[in-house]
PDB file of all heavy atoms in Angstrom:
ATOM      1  N   LEU A  45      88.621 113.209  77.853  1.00 90.00           N
ATOM      2  CA  LEU A  45      87.291 113.530  78.345  1.00 90.00           C
ATOM      3  C   LEU A  45      86.319 113.827  77.186  1.00 90.00           C
ATOM      4  O   LEU A  45      85.139 113.547  77.289  1.00 90.00           O
ATOM      5  CB  LEU A  45      87.356 114.759  79.304  1.00 90.00           C
ATOM      6  CG  LEU A  45      87.997 114.487  80.655  1.00 90.00           C
ATOM      7  CD1 LEU A  45      88.150 115.792  81.419  1.00 90.00           C
ATOM      8  CD2 LEU A  45      87.204 113.475  81.437  1.00 90.00           C
ATOM      9  N   GLU A  46      86.857 114.380  76.101  1.00 89.00           N
ATOM     10  CA  GLU A  46      86.020 114.675  74.938  1.00 89.00           C
ATOM     11  C   GLU A  46      85.378 113.406  74.383  1.00 89.00           C
ATOM     12  O   GLU A  46      84.269 113.451  73.852  1.00 89.00           O
ATOM     13  CB  GLU A  46      86.816 115.390  73.856  1.00 89.00           C
ATOM     14  CG  GLU A  46      87.251 116.800  74.222  1.00 89.00           C
ATOM     15  CD  GLU A  46      88.459 116.859  75.149  1.00 89.00           C
ATOM     16  OE1 GLU A  46      89.333 115.959  75.072  1.00 89.00           O
ATOM     17  OE2 GLU A  46      88.506 117.811  75.944  1.00 89.00           O
ATOM     18  N   ASN A  47      86.072 112.264  74.495  1.00 89.00           N
ATOM     19  CA  ASN A  47      85.502 111.015  74.032  1.00 89.00           C
ATOM     20  C   ASN A  47      84.236 110.642  74.830  1.00 89.00           C
ATOM     21  O   ASN A  47      83.395 109.905  74.334  1.00 89.00           O
ATOM     22  CB  ASN A  47      86.505 109.852  74.166  1.00 89.00           C
ATOM     23  CG  ASN A  47      87.655 110.001  73.226  1.00 89.00           C
ATOM     24  OD1 ASN A  47      88.740 110.396  73.655  1.00 89.00           O
ATOM     25  ND2 ASN A  47      87.466 109.709  71.967  1.00 89.00           N
ATOM     26  N   TYR A  48      84.142 111.150  76.028  1.00 92.00           N
ATOM     27  CA  TYR A  48      82.970 110.863  76.889  1.00 92.00           C
ATOM     28  C   TYR A  48      81.965 112.022  76.869  1.00 92.00           C
ATOM     29  O   TYR A  48      80.978 112.006  77.561  1.00 92.00           O
ATOM     30  CB  TYR A  48      83.418 110.620  78.329  1.00 92.00           C
ATOM     31  CG  TYR A  48      84.214 109.341  78.470  1.00 92.00           C
ATOM     32  CD1 TYR A  48      85.582 109.336  78.355  1.00 92.00           C
ATOM     33  CD2 TYR A  48      83.555 108.125  78.713  1.00 92.00           C
ATOM     34  CE1 TYR A  48      86.305 108.158  78.482  1.00 92.00           C
ATOM     35  CE2 TYR A  48      84.264 106.952  78.828  1.00 92.00           C
ATOM     36  CZ  TYR A  48      85.644 106.975  78.716  1.00 92.00           C
ATOM     37  OH  TYR A  48      86.360 105.799  78.834  1.00 92.00           O
ATOM     38  N   ASP A  49      82.292 113.047  76.037  1.00 92.00           N
ATOM     39  CA  ASP A  49      81.413 114.197  75.892  1.00 92.00           C
ATOM     40  C   ASP A  49      81.143 114.876  77.241  1.00 92.00           C
ATOM     41  O   ASP A  49      79.997 115.124  77.625  1.00 92.00           O
ATOM     42  CB  ASP A  49      80.110 113.820  75.187  1.00 92.00           C
ATOM     43  CG  ASP A  49      79.350 115.039  74.678  1.00 92.00           C
ATOM     44  OD1 ASP A  49      80.008 116.052  74.373  1.00 92.00           O
ATOM     45  OD2 ASP A  49      78.115 114.970  74.590  1.00 92.00           O
ATOM     46  N   ILE A  50      82.260 115.129  77.959  1.00 94.00           N
ATOM     47  CA  ILE A  50      82.154 115.723  79.288  1.00 94.00           C
ATOM     48  C   ILE A  50      83.324 116.685  79.492  1.00 94.00           C
ATOM     49  O   ILE A  50      84.435 116.417  79.000  1.00 94.00           O
ATOM     50  CB  ILE A  50      82.116 114.640  80.384  1.00 94.00           C
ATOM     51  CG1 ILE A  50      81.796 115.241  81.746  1.00 94.00           C
ATOM     52  CG2 ILE A  50      83.351 113.808  80.396  1.00 94.00           C
ATOM     53  CD1 ILE A  50      81.552 114.193  82.816  1.00 94.00           C
ATOM     54  N   SER A  51      83.111 117.753  80.195  1.00 93.00           N
ATOM     55  CA  SER A  51      84.198 118.708  80.495  1.00 93.00           C
ATOM     56  C   SER A  51      84.800 118.363  81.867  1.00 93.00           C
ATOM     57  O   SER A  51      84.209 117.620  82.637  1.00 93.00           O
ATOM     58  CB  SER A  51      83.634 120.138  80.527  1.00 93.00           C
ATOM     59  OG  SER A  51      82.804 120.314  81.661  1.00 93.00           O
ATOM     60  N   GLU A  52      85.951 118.941  82.125  1.00 93.00           N
ATOM     61  CA  GLU A  52      86.563 118.760  83.446  1.00 93.00           C
ATOM     62  C   GLU A  52      85.621 119.250  84.555  1.00 93.00           C
ATOM     63  O   GLU A  52      85.498 118.616  85.593  1.00 93.00           O
ATOM     64  CB  GLU A  52      87.903 119.510  83.547  1.00 93.00           C
ATOM     65  CG  GLU A  52      89.011 118.823  82.819  1.00 93.00           C
ATOM     66  CD  GLU A  52      90.327 119.608  82.932  1.00 93.00           C
ATOM     67  OE1 GLU A  52      90.317 120.795  83.312  1.00 93.00           O
ATOM     68  OE2 GLU A  52      91.363 119.003  82.650  1.00 93.00           O
ATOM     69  N   GLY A  53      84.992 120.384  84.325  1.00 95.00           N
ATOM     70  CA  GLY A  53      84.063 120.911  85.329  1.00 95.00           C
ATOM     71  C   GLY A  53      82.901 119.986  85.603  1.00 95.00           C
ATOM     72  O   GLY A  53      82.553 119.748  86.764  1.00 95.00           O
ATOM     73  N   GLN A  54      82.348 119.400  84.560  1.00 96.00           N
ATOM     74  CA  GLN A  54      81.249 118.467  84.751  1.00 96.00           C
ATOM     75  C   GLN A  54      81.720 117.223  85.489  1.00 96.00           C
ATOM     76  O   GLN A  54      81.011 116.679  86.330  1.00 96.00           O
ATOM     77  CB  GLN A  54      80.650 118.075  83.397  1.00 96.00           C
ATOM     78  CG  GLN A  54      79.912 119.182  82.705  1.00 96.00           C
ATOM     79  CD  GLN A  54      79.599 118.849  81.243  1.00 96.00           C
ATOM     80  OE1 GLN A  54      80.422 118.309  80.497  1.00 96.00           O
ATOM     81  NE2 GLN A  54      78.370 119.147  80.855  1.00 96.00           N
ATOM     82  N   LEU A  55      82.927 116.780  85.191  1.00 97.00           N
ATOM     83  CA  LEU A  55      83.496 115.614  85.855  1.00 97.00           C
ATOM     84  C   LEU A  55      83.669 115.886  87.346  1.00 97.00           C
ATOM     85  O   LEU A  55      83.376 115.044  88.203  1.00 97.00           O
ATOM     86  CB  LEU A  55      84.818 115.207  85.218  1.00 97.00           C
ATOM     87  CG  LEU A  55      85.519 114.011  85.840  1.00 97.00           C
ATOM     88  CD1 LEU A  55      84.663 112.771  85.807  1.00 97.00           C
ATOM     89  CD2 LEU A  55      86.857 113.761  85.143  1.00 97.00           C
ATOM     90  N   MET A  56      84.162 117.074  87.701  1.00 97.00           N
ATOM     91  CA  MET A  56      84.366 117.430  89.105  1.00 97.00           C
ATOM     92  C   MET A  56      83.021 117.457  89.843  1.00 97.00           C
ATOM     93  O   MET A  56      82.944 117.016  90.989  1.00 97.00           O
ATOM     94  CB  MET A  56      85.094 118.755  89.244  1.00 97.00           C
ATOM     95  CG  MET A  56      86.491 118.799  88.656  1.00 97.00           C
ATOM     96  SD  MET A  56      87.597 117.532  89.231  1.00 97.00           S
ATOM     97  CE  MET A  56      87.780 116.549  87.750  1.00 97.00           C
ATOM     98  N   VAL A  57      81.979 117.942  89.187  1.00 98.00           N
ATOM     99  CA  VAL A  57      80.633 117.944  89.798  1.00 98.00           C
ATOM    100  C   VAL A  57      80.204 116.494  90.038  1.00 98.00           C
ATOM    101  O   VAL A  57      79.689 116.164  91.116  1.00 98.00           O
ATOM    102  CB  VAL A  57      79.626 118.705  88.912  1.00 98.00           C
ATOM    103  CG1 VAL A  57      78.204 118.458  89.392  1.00 98.00           C
ATOM    104  CG2 VAL A  57      79.934 120.191  88.894  1.00 98.00           C
ATOM    105  N   MET A  58      80.411 115.635  89.057  1.00 98.00           N
ATOM    106  CA  MET A  58      80.047 114.224  89.216  1.00 98.00           C
ATOM    107  C   MET A  58      80.788 113.597  90.401  1.00 98.00           C
ATOM    108  O   MET A  58      80.220 112.822  91.170  1.00 98.00           O
ATOM    109  CB  MET A  58      80.367 113.425  87.935  1.00 98.00           C
ATOM    110  CG  MET A  58      79.424 113.729  86.773  1.00 98.00           C
ATOM    111  SD  MET A  58      79.960 112.895  85.261  1.00 98.00           S
ATOM    112  CE  MET A  58      79.643 111.185  85.669  1.00 98.00           C
ATOM    113  N   MET A  59      82.067 113.949  90.544  1.00 98.00           N
ATOM    114  CA  MET A  59      82.861 113.411  91.660  1.00 98.00           C
ATOM    115  C   MET A  59      82.302 113.868  93.000  1.00 98.00           C
ATOM    116  O   MET A  59      82.135 113.061  93.912  1.00 98.00           O
ATOM    117  CB  MET A  59      84.325 113.841  91.534  1.00 98.00           C
ATOM    118  CG  MET A  59      85.097 113.185  90.433  1.00 98.00           C
ATOM    119  SD  MET A  59      86.663 113.996  90.164  1.00 98.00           S
ATOM    120  CE  MET A  59      87.725 113.013  91.139  1.00 98.00           C
ATOM    121  N   GLY A  60      82.036 115.151  93.103  1.00 98.00           N
ATOM    122  CA  GLY A  60      81.499 115.681  94.356  1.00 98.00           C
ATOM    123  C   GLY A  60      80.171 115.044  94.738  1.00 98.00           C
ATOM    124  O   GLY A  60      79.951 114.690  95.901  1.00 98.00           O
ATOM    125  N   VAL A  61      79.305 114.894  93.767  1.00 98.00           N
ATOM    126  CA  VAL A  61      77.991 114.266  94.035  1.00 98.00           C
ATOM    127  C   VAL A  61      78.173 112.818  94.453  1.00 98.00           C
ATOM    128  O   VAL A  61      77.557 112.354  95.416  1.00 98.00           O
ATOM    129  CB  VAL A  61      77.075 114.399  92.794  1.00 98.00           C
ATOM    130  CG1 VAL A  61      75.845 113.527  92.920  1.00 98.00           C
ATOM    131  CG2 VAL A  61      76.707 115.859  92.561  1.00 98.00           C
ATOM    132  N   ALA A  62      79.029 112.071  93.751  1.00 98.00           N
ATOM    133  CA  ALA A  62      79.245 110.651  94.080  1.00 98.00           C
ATOM    134  C   ALA A  62      79.825 110.504  95.493  1.00 98.00           C
ATOM    135  O   ALA A  62      79.382 109.640  96.275  1.00 98.00           O
ATOM    136  CB  ALA A  62      80.178 110.009  93.066  1.00 98.00           C
ATOM    137  N   LEU A  63      80.765 111.368  95.866  1.00 98.00           N
ATOM    138  CA  LEU A  63      81.365 111.290  97.184  1.00 98.00           C
ATOM    139  C   LEU A  63      80.352 111.657  98.268  1.00 98.00           C
ATOM    140  O   LEU A  63      80.296 111.022  99.328  1.00 98.00           O
ATOM    141  CB  LEU A  63      82.590 112.185  97.290  1.00 98.00           C
ATOM    142  CG  LEU A  63      83.759 111.821  96.350  1.00 98.00           C
ATOM    143  CD1 LEU A  63      84.876 112.859  96.473  1.00 98.00           C
ATOM    144  CD2 LEU A  63      84.252 110.424  96.631  1.00 98.00           C
ATOM    145  N   ALA A  64      79.548 112.661  97.990  1.00 98.00           N
ATOM    146  CA  ALA A  64      78.505 113.075  98.962  1.00 98.00           C
ATOM    147  C   ALA A  64      77.523 111.945  99.195  1.00 98.00           C
ATOM    148  O   ALA A  64      77.150 111.650 100.339  1.00 98.00           O
ATOM    149  CB  ALA A  64      77.774 114.316  98.462  1.00 98.00           C
ATOM    150  N   ARG A  65      77.106 111.296  98.132  1.00 98.00           N
ATOM    151  CA  ARG A  65      76.154 110.179  98.268  1.00 98.00           C
ATOM    152  C   ARG A  65      76.768 109.017  99.019  1.00 98.00           C
ATOM    153  O   ARG A  65      76.099 108.369  99.825  1.00 98.00           O
ATOM    154  CB  ARG A  65      75.626 109.775  96.899  1.00 98.00           C
ATOM    155  CG  ARG A  65      74.702 110.840  96.319  1.00 98.00           C
ATOM    156  CD  ARG A  65      74.193 110.465  94.967  1.00 98.00           C
ATOM    157  NE  ARG A  65      73.330 111.537  94.474  1.00 98.00           N
ATOM    158  CZ  ARG A  65      72.877 111.613  93.229  1.00 98.00           C
ATOM    159  NH1 ARG A  65      73.205 110.674  92.335  1.00 98.00           N
ATOM    160  NH2 ARG A  65      72.113 112.613  92.864  1.00 98.00           N
ATOM    161  N   MET A  66      78.026 108.754  98.765  1.00 98.00           N
ATOM    162  CA  MET A  66      78.718 107.675  99.468  1.00 98.00           C
ATOM    163  C   MET A  66      78.775 108.016 100.967  1.00 98.00           C
ATOM    164  O   MET A  66      78.489 107.162 101.804  1.00 98.00           O
ATOM    165  CB  MET A  66      80.116 107.516  98.895  1.00 98.00           C
ATOM    166  CG  MET A  66      80.956 106.426  99.563  1.00 98.00           C
ATOM    167  SD  MET A  66      82.623 106.305  98.877  1.00 98.00           S
ATOM    168  CE  MET A  66      83.351 107.826  99.537  1.00 98.00           C
ATOM    169  N   HIS A  67      79.124 109.256 101.287  1.00 98.00           N
ATOM    170  CA  HIS A  67      79.228 109.669 102.696  1.00 98.00           C
ATOM    171  C   HIS A  67      77.826 109.754 103.334  1.00 98.00           C
ATOM    172  O   HIS A  67      77.703 109.489 104.550  1.00 98.00           O
ATOM    173  CB  HIS A  67      79.952 110.991 102.825  1.00 98.00           C
ATOM    174  CG  HIS A  67      81.434 110.845 102.665  1.00 98.00           C
ATOM    175  ND1 HIS A  67      82.269 111.934 102.550  1.00 98.00           N
ATOM    176  CD2 HIS A  67      82.240 109.750 102.633  1.00 98.00           C
ATOM    177  CE1 HIS A  67      83.530 111.496 102.449  1.00 98.00           C
ATOM    178  NE2 HIS A  67      83.523 110.164 102.494  1.00 98.00           N
ATOM    179  N   GLN A  68      76.795 110.050 102.581  1.00 98.00           N
ATOM    180  CA  GLN A  68      75.439 110.066 103.128  1.00 98.00           C
ATOM    181  C   GLN A  68      75.039 108.640 103.568  1.00 98.00           C
ATOM    182  O   GLN A  68      74.265 108.470 104.497  1.00 98.00           O
ATOM    183  CB  GLN A  68      74.426 110.592 102.130  1.00 98.00           C
ATOM    184  CG  GLN A  68      74.476 112.084 101.976  1.00 98.00           C
ATOM    185  CD  GLN A  68      73.574 112.607 100.865  1.00 98.00           C
ATOM    186  OE1 GLN A  68      73.483 112.001  99.796  1.00 98.00           O
ATOM    187  NE2 GLN A  68      72.920 113.719 101.111  1.00 98.00           N
ATOM    188  N   ALA A  69      75.609 107.651 102.893  1.00 98.00           N
ATOM    189  CA  ALA A  69      75.332 106.244 103.237  1.00 98.00           C
ATOM    190  C   ALA A  69      76.309 105.769 104.330  1.00 98.00           C
ATOM    191  O   ALA A  69      76.353 104.583 104.668  1.00 98.00           O
ATOM    192  CB  ALA A  69      75.463 105.362 102.006  1.00 98.00           C
TER     193      ALA A  69
END
Side-chain angles (χ1 to χ4, degrees):
L45 289 174
E46 291 79 31
N47 293 103
Y48 292 91
D49 196 28
I50 188 172
S51 70
E52 284 180 344
Q54 291 168 316
L55 179 59
M56 297 307 111
V57 168
M58 289 174 69
M59 288 169 95
V61 168
L63 297 176
R65 290 180 180 169
M66 180 182 72
H67 284 170
Q68 284 173 320

